[in-house]
Amino acid sequence: MLQISGTYTDLYQLTMAQVHYLNHNNQTAVFDYFFRKLPFKNGYVIFSGLESLLEALEQFQFTTQDLDYLQQQGFDSSFINYLKDFKFKGAIYSVQEGELVFPTQPVLQVKASLIEAQLIETILLNYLNFQTLIATKASRIRQVAPQSTLIDFGMRRAQAMGAYFASRAAFIGGFDTTSNVKAAADFKIPVTGTMAHAFVQSYDSELEAFQSYAQAHPQNCILLIDTYNCLKSGLPNAIKVAKSLQQQGEQLKGIRIDSGDLAYLSQQCRQQLDAEGLTEVKIAVSNQLDEYVIKSLQEQNAPIDVYGVGTNLVIGHPDAALDGVYKLAYANQKPRLKLSENIAKSTLPHQKQVYRLRDQNQQLIGANIIAKAEEQPDFNQMHHPFDLTKTMPLDQLKFEALLQPVMLNGKRQQAPTPLVDIKRFAEQQLAELPAEYKRFTNPHLYKVGLSTALLEAREKLRTTYKS
Amino acid sequence: MLQISGTYTDLYQLTMAQVHYLNHNNQTAVFDYFFRKLPFKNGYVIFSGLESLLEALEQFQFTTQDLDYLQQQGFDSSFINYLKDFKFKGAIYSVQEGELVFPTQPVLQVKASLIEAQLIETILLNYLNFQTLIATKASRIRQVAPQSTLIDFGMRRAQAMGAYFASRAAFIGGFDTTSNVKAAADFKIPVTGTMAHAFVQSYDSELEAFQSYAQAHPQNCILLIDTYNCLKSGLPNAIKVAKSLQQQGEQLKGIRIDSGDLAYLSQQCRQQLDAEGLTEVKIAVSNQLDEYVIKSLQEQNAPIDVYGVGTNLVIGHPDAALDGVYKLAYANQKPRLKLSENIAKSTLPHQKQVYRLRDQNQQLIGANIIAKAEEQPDFNQMHHPFDLTKTMPLDQLKFEALLQPVMLNGKRQQAPTPLVDIKRFAEQQLAELPAEYKRFTNPHLYKVGLSTALLEAREKLRTTYKS
């Protein structure tokens, strides 16, 4: 059984920390968490995983077992002694979970002693990269089916225990329910399910299988109709069951189709159900769905009420990883830079703040500016982060600070946010975002720029380091 | 914190189980675990995850918290009472972990009461699909770099807790070490690491950073040389440190390059290190590596000793999921079939055995045959599973049964196999496999066929079900 503790990390975090410890090199450091590339060619990313991270940081400690293992690996005993009492006591500045975020901007900053900041890097990246990826994937699916019920069915093909956070993030990104009972219970996600082919097969007849299920779950019965033949067998049997449920004063909730031409089959099913007066019976579909298949089904006006999405959702197909990184911006009382031949891979020094820009009517203009934390939010231009010739004037705009302290001295600043509130916040943010940034294909580029002071600080450091 | 217990499942397993429970429909059932498509267009798949699954099954139970949750969800109290004492008491027949497996063949069979077999489906798929995918990915990487040291660096971009089993499976598939401390400790994988850019940046000079690290870890020092400039700064500083280590009687273990043209830079570094007499200093590289990049570096004779592979390994890029399924083959004293318009999606009825075919000299002929479990292994032909017109004569061959009981009455039949033995077994299996099945591109198709009796049983059931 996997236990999340101090060794849930890369070895080098510990070997580097030991060097810092032995050299008493442990002044305040600032690290930025950000990503460089929009996944799925989407126009925005939904930041997700913050609450999971904060919970993990509050509990983060080295167990006796951890310390024994590190001793066997030859770590210094004084350092192991230090780890025995280790607690994260630093600060986390972050955008809200569910916020829309964009490449280059710091999404979260850690300000802590160098050792603390280093020891939490791996778990931070491991938690935030994945949930942010999946919330964004879920949101893409939600965008193409705004009125449909979306169910996460992905647990069996998920990357093992990745399933747990996948279901959480899918809910934030716009899914309604999950089949994953553990995640549902722990995160208070509505849990739903239908039935499997094996259930139908285990009976000598399909009708008998349907009747047994309906009898045991009369109020929550979705019949899987494609085990033998969807239209010739499954649908007529489902209609029989629906009618006998009606006689008991109950209502068949739905049918599910898991193979074949979902557009054609759903149309046929809807017609026949309606002809029998079963207009309330919902049609659910599944089978390798993703936002492209669902978009196509929607465009064909397939009368589908419920989409069950599995593999492609929970693995974040096709990207399957977000390229989020954790880069040093400040240490030992100096701003720090990672130099690169490619300016787009250089990092941004100093502790920073990110502002969202709004016009006088509070409308979003599709741009964020990154500035040094101590700057007054009163900028008259912003600079392209990598193309030094490009600037954008900022006239009559309002600046909304996005990075807020969510943890100080290792303590959360608010009670944990319920998941449903995070989901609602993401919905509100999306509702505000102009349509062109939500476009399915080739969305408009949301601009992220630098303040003049930040640009100058970076260029000065680049020049120093190059010489 | 995620706890693996009875609710680590899809809801429908529980709703279906309740129906079976209330109807006393709980006779012996047989389910097959198999997959249909070779991932990565590879010629073989390395079965992985069995020990993790067996361990989970031995511990599988419903906690008080689980039962309370299910009560809130409206489950029947008699069924909840049944779950209170639930233990998996069935049988698992499986190929060995580390065995090479192919589409269509049952890789593992569960023979248990219908409810038991259903309740473990999700965890079985969740564990086996992912580890099998990653072991196979790791093996592809190992194939292109047979002599190199391969390190798993993927934790930060892994699908959250998927990292844990990814590191385990990567080791089975051919990796030497991991940076994932938790997985290393729990699974006894050698653990290694280097240093991060942030470490170098946190010092005022690169040389000072290198010296500090070398002082703290003189016997295990790999210096990251590309924070500022690989050849102008990192390498000369690393050479200085190597020489001062030599004066202390120590040896710089290596340098790491994490950006730029790895072929060019490694050649330059090797030349300069050798010119300084530092022939023992290893060169490690990283940066978005996969089997294609590594193959190209090997073909260029880049003098690289160590490859650190991250994201593309641990997410199993680009497939990111194995399409493994769990299908009912027998229930209520009858063989069972899932019918499909597409014969390739029909399942195979009955409890089965899988035999590997060898010639009289014990050489593999590149074929397995699936038969009914009760058949004598003495077949003179095998049938293509989906093209009924194709048969292959089997003359003078030997039949090696691959499915063996690994759990009976819920008890393991052997002590857990150490991970290193599983890895070695996979290596031996691969060494035996003829080269054409291991080809990087367009590998030869390993044949999987059916015995005449099994084919006839399936066709008879198909005919019955269709009418």
Side-chain angles (χ1 to χ4, degrees):
Chain A
M1 169 103 49
L2 168 63
Q3 189 184 6
I4 307 296
S5 65
T7 49
Y8 193 79
T9 189
D10 289 300
L11 182 71
Y12 77 177
Q13 311 291 7
L14 291 159
T15 57
M16 294 188 293
Q18 177 170 309
V19 181
H20 294 319
Y21 176 79
L22 295 175
N23 293 337
H24 311 290
N25 179 19
N26 198 19
Q27 292 192 55
T28 299
V30 175
F31 282 81
D32 296 335
Y33 170 67
F34 65 99
F35 59 91
R36 295 195 173 104
K37 197 174 143 284
L38 286 159
F40 316 118
K41 297 184 182 166
N42 203 46
Y44 60 87
V45 159
I46 296 185
F47 174 55
S48 181
L50 178 61
E51 283 295 341
S52 314
L53 176 66
L54 296 178
E55 187 187 322
L57 292 183
E58 283 189 329
Q59 296 168 0
F60 194 85
Q61 59 178 336
F62 291 84
T63 64
T64 311
Q65 213 178 350
D66 288 340
L67 297 170
D68 288 350
Y69 177 74
L70 296 178
Q71 190 129 36
Q72 289 160 29
Q73 296 302 312
F75 278 88
D76 188 278
S77 59
S78 68
F79 178 60
I80 289 180
N81 219 36
Y82 164 81
L83 293 181
K84 195 181 290 177
D85 300 320
F86 181 85
K87 288 285 291 172
F88 179 74
K89 298 197 194 76
I92 309 276
Y93 300 85
S94 178
V95 307
Q96 279 191 63
E97 185 163 8
E99 184 61 270
L100 307 183
V101 292
F102 303 92
T104 308
Q105 75 168 79
V107 172
L108 178 149
Q109 285 190 320
V110 174
K111 186 174 185 178
S113 79
L114 184 56
I115 293 178
E116 288 177 280
Q118 201 70 72
L119 286 180
I120 67 164
E121 174 180 6
T122 303
I123 192 169
L124 182 151
L125 290 171
N126 179 268
Y127 276 30
L128 300 183
N129 279 335
F130 180 54
Q131 287 201 47
T132 299
L133 179 83
I134 300 304
T136 306
K137 180 73 177 179
S139 182
R140 279 177 66 75
I141 298 171
R142 169 52 73 199
Q143 294 286 325
V144 299
Q147 307 302 327
S148 311
T149 297
L150 298 177
I151 312 181
D152 153 32
F153 272 175
M155 190 172 187
R156 62 193 51 208
R157 301 274 174 82
Q159 299 210 341
M161 286 84 83
Y164 187 60
F165 282 154
S167 297
R168 182 183 186 277
F171 185 69
I172 292 175
F175 270 57
D176 295 298
T177 74
T178 182
S179 70
N180 181 337
V181 185
K182 181 66 76 184
D186 286 2
F187 300 126
K188 301 191 172 50
I189 305 170
V191 64
T192 50
T194 63
M195 65 170 57
H197 294 118
F199 181 85
V200 179
Q201 290 169 260
S202 72
Y203 285 82
D204 286 342
S205 87
E206 188 180 51
L207 183 60
E208 201 188 326
F210 286 3
Q211 284 166 337
S212 297
Y213 197 94
Q215 199 176 349
H217 302 286
Q219 289 161 352
N220 199 355
C221 181
I222 299 179
L223 301 170
L224 177 62
I225 64 168
D226 70 339
T227 303
Y228 302 112
N229 186 303
C230 211
L231 298 178
K232 289 185 192 151
S233 167
L235 182 62
N237 283 330
I239 288 172
K240 279 181 203 152
V241 171
K243 293 198 162 178
S244 69
L245 276 172
Q246 272 184 337
Q247 287 170 359
Q248 301 163 42
E250 300 286 0
Q251 170 71 52
L252 179 67
K253 199 165 168 187
I255 55 170
R256 175 161 75 104
I257 313 167
D258 185 45
S259 58
D261 187 318
L262 301 177
Y264 170 76
L265 292 172
S266 62
Q267 270 147 5
Q268 292 296 314
C269 288
R270 186 74 275 158
Q271 275 174 23
Q272 294 187 38
L273 287 167
D274 289 354
E276 300 284 346
L278 298 166
T279 53
E280 299 301 309
V281 175
K282 305 284 189 207
I283 297 180
V285 303
S286 50
N287 190 19
Q288 307 279 66
L289 300 181
D290 64 13
E291 65 269 42
Y292 297 93
V293 176
I294 295 174
K295 186 167 190 283
S296 162
L297 289 167
Q298 294 283 104
E299 286 166 357
Q300 296 169 76
N301 294 313
I304 293 167
D305 305 289
V306 181
Y307 293 99
V309 190
T311 315
N312 292 315
L313 168 68
V314 297
I315 64 170
H317 183 81
D319 293 49
L322 182 78
D323 72 347
V325 292
Y326 183 80
K327 295 291 180 187
L328 185 67
Y330 186 90
N332 284 334
Q333 309 192 26
K334 286 184 195 159
R336 304 283 165 165
L337 188 76
K338 158 90 177 70
L339 208 59
S340 175
E341 294 300 307
N342 177 356
I343 190 171
K345 287 206 144 190
S346 279
T347 59
L348 296 172
H350 291 283
Q351 189 175 353
K352 295 173 284 292
Q353 180 54 279
V354 179
Y355 299 93
R356 177 160 41 208
L357 306 185
R358 294 179 183 274
D359 66 17
Q360 293 297 319
N361 301 318
Q362 293 296 332
Q363 299 302 301
L364 298 185
I365 68 154
N368 289 352
I369 180 170
I370 315 169
K372 290 166 75 173
E374 67 266 29
E375 288 187 75
Q376 283 304 311
D378 178 22
F379 310 101
N380 53 28
Q381 62 174 356
M382 76 177 195
H383 301 264
H384 190 285
F386 314 125
D387 181 344
L388 302 185
T389 66
K390 281 192 183 165
T391 58
M392 175 171 137
L394 306 177
D395 293 329
Q396 302 284 315
L397 294 177
K398 298 185 170 191
F399 302 96
E400 180 187 2
L402 298 179
L403 295 173
Q404 300 296 338
V406 293
M407 183 172 261
L408 294 174
N409 300 313
K411 298 243 176 306
R412 281 199 225 211
Q413 296 302 291
Q414 296 91 22
T417 313
L419 194 65
V420 70
D421 292 348
I422 297 171
K423 178 193 185 71
R424 206 166 296 138
F425 178 71
E427 283 166 5
Q428 289 161 358
Q429 297 308 102
L430 266 176
E432 263 207 293
L433 188 70
E436 59 268 29
Y437 301 98
K438 293 183 278 198
R439 197 160 49 215
F440 191 71
T441 312
N442 296 328
H444 195 44
L445 182 75
Y446 193 102
K447 291 187 179 63
V448 174
L450 310 184
S451 73
T452 304
L454 180 60
L455 180 83
E456 285 172 354
R458 183 188 70 186
E459 291 310 304
K460 192 175 144 205
L461 263 184
R462 277 167 55 85
T463 311
T464 313
Y465 281 179
K466 279 188 175 169
S467 64
Chain B
M1 169 102 52
L2 167 64
Q3 191 186 4
I4 307 295
S5 65
T7 50
Y8 193 79
T9 189
D10 289 299
L11 181 70
Y12 77 177
Q13 312 290 7
L14 292 160
T15 58
M16 294 188 293
Q18 177 169 311
V19 181
H20 295 319
Y21 176 78
L22 295 176
N23 293 336
H24 311 290
N25 179 20
N26 199 19
Q27 293 192 55
T28 299
V30 175
F31 281 82
D32 296 336
Y33 171 66
F34 65 100
F35 59 91
R36 296 196 174 102
K37 197 174 144 281
L38 286 159
F40 317 119
K41 298 184 181 168
N42 203 47
Y44 60 87
V45 159
I46 297 185
F47 175 55
S48 181
L50 178 63
E51 283 295 343
S52 313
L53 176 66
L54 295 178
E55 187 187 322
L57 292 183
E58 284 190 328
Q59 296 168 0
F60 194 83
Q61 59 178 339
F62 291 83
T63 64
T64 311
Q65 214 177 351
D66 289 340
L67 297 170
D68 288 350
Y69 178 74
L70 296 178
Q71 190 129 37
Q72 289 161 28
Q73 296 303 310
F75 278 89
D76 188 277
S77 58
S78 69
F79 177 60
I80 289 180
N81 220 36
Y82 164 80
L83 293 181
K84 197 182 287 175
D85 299 321
F86 181 86
K87 288 284 292 173
F88 178 75
K89 298 197 194 76
I92 308 276
Y93 299 85
S94 178
V95 308
Q96 279 191 63
E97 186 163 8
E99 183 61 271
L100 307 183
V101 292
F102 302 92
T104 308
Q105 76 169 79
V107 172
L108 178 149
Q109 286 189 319
V110 175
K111 185 173 186 176
S113 79
L114 183 56
I115 293 178
E116 288 176 280
Q118 200 70 73
L119 286 180
I120 68 163
E121 173 180 5
T122 303
I123 192 170
L124 183 151
L125 291 171
N126 178 267
Y127 276 30
L128 300 183
N129 279 336
F130 180 54
Q131 288 201 46
T132 299
L133 179 84
I134 300 304
T136 306
K137 180 72 177 179
S139 182
R140 278 177 66 74
I141 298 171
R142 170 50 74 198
Q143 296 286 325
V144 299
Q147 306 302 327
S148 311
T149 298
L150 298 178
I151 312 181
D152 153 32
F153 271 174
M155 190 171 189
R156 61 193 52 210
R157 301 275 174 82
Q159 299 210 340
M161 287 84 83
Y164 187 60
F165 282 154
S167 297
R168 181 183 186 277
F171 186 68
I172 292 175
F175 270 58
D176 296 298
T177 72
T178 182
S179 69
N180 181 339
V181 184
K182 182 66 75 183
D186 286 2
F187 300 124
K188 300 192 172 47
I189 305 169
V191 64
T192 50
T194 63
M195 66 170 55
H197 294 118
F199 182 86
V200 179
Q201 289 169 262
S202 72
Y203 285 82
D204 287 340
S205 87
E206 187 180 50
L207 183 60
E208 200 188 326
F210 286 2
Q211 284 166 337
S212 297
Y213 197 94
Q215 199 176 349
H217 302 287
Q219 288 160 355
N220 200 354
C221 181
I222 299 179
L223 301 170
L224 177 62
I225 64 169
D226 70 340
T227 304
Y228 302 112
N229 186 302
C230 211
L231 297 178
K232 289 186 192 150
S233 169
L235 182 62
N237 283 330
I239 288 171
K240 278 182 204 152
V241 170
K243 294 200 162 175
S244 70
L245 275 173
Q246 273 184 335
Q247 287 169 0
Q248 301 164 44
E250 301 285 359
Q251 170 71 51
L252 179 67
K253 198 164 167 189
I255 56 171
R256 175 161 76 104
I257 312 167
D258 185 45
S259 57
D261 186 315
L262 300 177
Y264 170 78
L265 292 172
S266 63
Q267 269 147 4
Q268 293 295 314
C269 288
R270 185 76 273 158
Q271 276 174 24
Q272 294 186 39
L273 287 166
D274 289 353
E276 300 285 345
L278 298 166
T279 53
E280 299 299 310
V281 175
K282 305 285 189 207
I283 297 180
V285 303
S286 50
N287 191 19
Q288 307 279 68
L289 300 180
D290 63 13
E291 65 269 44
Y292 298 93
V293 177
I294 294 174
K295 187 167 189 283
S296 162
L297 289 166
Q298 295 282 105
E299 286 166 357
Q300 295 169 76
N301 295 315
I304 293 166
D305 306 287
V306 180
Y307 293 98
V309 189
T311 315
N312 291 316
L313 169 67
V314 297
I315 64 170
H317 184 81
D319 294 49
L322 182 77
D323 71 348
V325 292
Y326 183 79
K327 295 292 180 187
L328 185 66
Y330 186 91
N332 284 334
Q333 310 193 26
K334 287 184 193 157
R336 304 283 165 167
L337 187 77
K338 159 90 177 71
L339 207 60
S340 175
E341 294 300 307
N342 178 355
I343 191 172
K345 286 206 144 190
S346 280
T347 59
L348 296 172
H350 291 283
Q351 188 175 352
K352 295 173 285 290
Q353 180 55 279
V354 179
Y355 299 93
R356 178 162 36 210
L357 306 185
R358 293 179 184 275
D359 67 18
Q360 293 297 321
N361 302 319
Q362 294 296 331
Q363 299 301 300
L364 298 186
I365 69 153
N368 289 352
I369 181 170
I370 315 170
K372 290 166 75 173
E374 67 266 27
E375 289 188 73
Q376 284 303 312
D378 178 23
F379 310 100
N380 54 26
Q381 63 173 356
M382 75 177 196
H383 301 264
H384 190 286
F386 313 124
D387 182 344
L388 302 185
T389 66
K390 281 193 183 163
T391 59
M392 177 171 137
L394 306 179
D395 294 328
Q396 302 283 318
L397 295 176
K398 299 185 169 191
F399 301 95
E400 180 187 3
L402 298 180
L403 295 173
Q404 301 296 340
V406 293
M407 181 171 264
L408 294 174
N409 300 313
K411 298 245 175 304
R412 281 199 224 213
Q413 297 301 293
Q414 296 92 22
T417 313
L419 194 64
V420 71
D421 292 348
I422 297 171
K423 178 193 184 72
R424 207 166 296 137
F425 178 71
E427 283 166 5
Q428 288 161 357
Q429 298 307 102
L430 266 176
E432 263 207 292
L433 188 71
E436 58 269 30
Y437 302 99
K438 293 183 277 198
R439 197 157 50 213
F440 190 70
T441 312
N442 296 329
H444 195 42
L445 183 74
Y446 192 101
K447 290 187 181 61
V448 174
L450 309 184
S451 73
T452 304
L454 180 60
L455 180 83
E456 284 171 356
R458 184 188 69 186
E459 291 310 302
K460 192 175 144 204
L461 263 184
R462 277 166 56 86
T463 310
T464 313
Y465 282 178
K466 278 188 174 169
S467 63

